[in-house]
C-alpha cells in the first residue's frame, strides 16, 4: 500500500513539474512576439530566423557531443530531418514573416490555434481521439479566428497586409504542431538534447537559402542593441531552453496536457504587445479571442480514448 502511494505521489510530482515548466516556457514564447518585433526593422525576417538558430546550435551541438550527427545517420535520421525542416525551417520562416506583416498581438493570439492542430494530429497519429467537446471546441475556435481575421481597421498595418500575415501564421501553427507530435514520438526513443540538435542542424541548412536571398536582394542586417537582444532571447531562451523543456515534458505527460499550457502564450504576448508596443485591442479582436480560448479549452480538456 505504501509503495503504491509513493508511486502515485511520484507520478503527480512528475506531472505537475512538467506542466509548471511548460507554463513558464509558454510565457517566454508568448512574450517573444512583441519583444522581438522591433528587431525586424533592422534585421530581415529570414535572417533573424537564421541567426536565432545558429546561436542555438552553437550551444546545443557541443552539449550533444557528436550524438546529433550519429542520430542523423541512424534509422531515425529521415524523421529527424523532417522534424528539422518543419520545426526549425518552415515554421520559423512563417512565424518571422507573419510577425513582420501583422501586429504582435495578432500573432500572439493566433498561436492559440497550435493546440487545435496538436489535438487533431494527436488524434490521427497517436490515437488521442476527440469527443463531442472537441468537435464543439473546434467550431468555436474557427469562429473566433474568422472574427479576428475578418478585415478591419488597424493602425498597425493595412487590412490586406494584416490578413496575409495572420494567414501565414496559421500555416506556421500547423507545421509547428507536426513538429510537436513527431517529436513526442521521437523523444520516446531518444534523449531530447541530441535529437533537438540533430533537427536544428537540418533546419539551419534549410534556412540558409532564404537568408541568402535576402542578402542578395540588398536586405542585409544592421547591428543594433535591439537586434542583438532579440537574437539572444529567441536563440537561448525561446529555442535552447524552450525546446529542451518541451520534449522533457512530453516524456512525462500527454500531448493534451502540454497543449493546455499554451493558453499562457497568447496571454503573455497580447499583454506585452499592449504595454510595450501600444497595440490597440478592438472589440472584434477581444470577441474573437474569447471564442478561441473557449474552443481551445474544450478541445484540450475533452476526454480522449487511446
Amino acid at each position: 500500500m505504501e509503495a503504491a502511494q509513493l508511486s502515485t505521489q511520484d507520478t503527480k510530482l512528475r506531472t505537475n513539474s512538467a506542466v509548471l515548466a511548460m507554463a513558464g516556457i509558454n510565457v517566454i514564447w508568448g512574450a517573444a512576439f512583441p519583444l522581438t518585433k522591433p528587431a525586424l526593422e533592422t534585421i530581415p525576417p529570414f535572417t533573424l530566423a537564421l541567426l536565432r538558430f545558429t546561436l542555438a546550435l552553437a550551444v546545443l551541438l557541443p552539449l550533444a557531443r557528436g550524438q546529433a550527427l550519429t542520430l542523423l545517420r541512424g534509422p531515425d535520421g529521415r524523421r529527424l530531418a523532417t522534424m528539422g525542416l518543419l520545426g526549425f525551417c518552415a515554421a520559423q520562416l512563417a512565424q518571422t514573416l507573419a510577425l513582420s506583416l501583422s501586429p504582435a498581438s495578432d500573432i500572439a493570439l493566433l498561436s492559440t490555434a497550435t493546440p487545435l492542430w496538436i489535438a487533431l494530429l494527436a488524434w490521427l497519429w497517436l490515437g488521442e481521439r476527440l469527443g463531442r467537446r472537441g468537435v464543439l471546441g473546434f467550431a468555436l475556435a474557427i469562429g473566433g479566428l474568422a472574427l479576428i481575421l475578418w478585415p478591419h481597421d488597424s493602425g498597425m498595418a493595412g487590412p490586406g497586409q494584416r490578413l496575409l500575415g495572420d494567414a501565414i501564421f496559421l500555416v506556421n501553427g500547423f507545421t509547428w504542431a507536426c513538429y510537436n507530435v513527431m517529436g513526442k514520438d521521437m523523444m520516446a526513443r531518444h534523449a531530447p538534447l541530441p535529437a533537438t540538435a540533430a533537427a536544428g542542424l537540418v533546419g539551419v541548412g534549410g534556412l540558409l537559402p532564404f537568408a541568402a536571398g535576402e542578402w542578395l536582394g540588398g536586405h542585409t542586417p544592421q547591428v543594433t542593441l535591439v537586434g542583438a537582444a532579440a537574437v539572444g532571447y529567441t536563440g537561448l531562451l525561446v529555442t535552447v531552453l524552450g525546446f529542451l523543456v518541451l520534449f522533457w515534458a512530453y516524456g512525462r505527460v500527454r500531448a493534451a496536457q502540454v497543449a493546455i499550457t499554451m493558453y499562457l502564450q497568447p496571454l503573455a504576448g497580447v499583454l506585452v504587445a499592449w504595454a510595450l508596443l501600444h497595440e490597440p485591442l478592438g472589440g472584434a479582436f477581444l470577441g474573437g479571442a474569447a471564442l478561441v480560448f473557449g474552443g481551445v479549452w474544450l478541445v484540450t480538456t475533452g476526454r480522449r480514448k487511446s
Side-chain angles (χ1 to χ4, degrees):
M1 180 66 71
E2 292 182 0
Q5 290 178 343
L6 289 175
S7 177
T8 301
Q9 292 176 353
D10 181 63
T11 300
K12 289 182 178 180
L13 179 61
R14 286 162 57 89
T15 299
N16 291 338
S17 61
V19 171
L20 287 174
M22 279 308 303
I25 290 301
N26 274 283
V27 171
I28 292 174
W29 284 347
F33 301 123
L35 289 178
T36 59
K37 184 175 176 64
L40 292 170
E41 298 178 3
T42 56
I43 304 178
F46 299 155
T47 301
L48 179 60
L50 176 64
L51 292 174
R52 164 190 173 181
F53 288 116
T54 300
L55 174 61
L57 280 182
V59 176
L60 291 173
L61 286 177
L63 294 176
R65 298 180 180 180
Q67 296 180 55
L69 293 176
T70 301
L71 288 179
L72 287 174
R73 291 192 292 263
D76 286 326
R78 289 186 179 181
R79 297 194 68 183
L80 284 168
T82 302
M83 285 177 57
L85 292 176
L86 288 173
F88 285 85
C89 184
Q92 304 309 318
L93 288 174
Q95 176 178 303
T96 51
L97 181 59
L99 189 59
S100 68
L101 296 171
S102 296
S105 53
D106 274 25
I107 301 304
L109 180 61
L110 291 177
S111 66
T112 315
T114 300
L116 301 179
W117 288 120
I118 291 176
L120 181 60
L121 293 173
W123 170 40
L124 296 174
W125 290 355
L126 305 179
E128 297 182 4
R129 297 183 181 178
L130 293 172
R132 292 181 180 179
R133 287 168 59 92
V135 174
L136 176 60
F138 267 101
L140 287 176
I142 291 172
L145 290 174
L147 188 59
I148 295 168
L149 293 172
W150 192 264
H152 53 279
D153 293 335
S154 171
M156 303 299 297
Q161 176 178 311
R162 180 175 188 171
L163 179 61
L164 177 61
D166 290 354
I168 290 173
F169 192 74
L170 288 178
V171 176
N172 162 80
F174 175 73
T175 54
W176 177 239
C178 289
Y179 177 81
N180 272 255
V181 176
M182 291 182 68
K184 177 175 172 60
D185 179 57
M186 189 63 62
M187 299 310 157
R189 299 192 297 275
H190 305 292
L193 176 57
T196 302
L201 192 60
V202 175
V204 166
L207 289 170
L208 276 172
F210 294 94
E214 289 179 329
W215 306 335
L216 293 174
H219 302 288
T220 55
Q222 302 176 25
V223 179
T224 65
L225 182 60
V226 172
V231 171
Y233 184 90
T234 56
L236 299 178
L237 294 181
V238 175
T239 304
V240 175
L241 180 63
F243 281 34
L244 292 180
V245 171
L246 172 68
F247 290 123
W248 170 81
Y250 271 143
R252 286 159 173 76
V253 296
R254 294 188 302 119
Q257 290 173 297
V258 172
I260 199 171
T261 64
M262 293 181 182
Y263 283 124
L264 294 173
Q265 188 174 147
L267 284 175
V270 168
L271 289 176
V272 174
W274 173 73
L276 184 65
L277 304 180
H278 308 293
E279 294 185 357
L281 306 178
F285 182 92
L286 296 176
L291 289 175
V292 170
F293 274 106
V296 174
W297 179 79
L298 287 174
V299 169
T300 54
T301 59
R303 183 180 179 182
R304 290 175 174 82
K305 297 180 180 179
S306 298

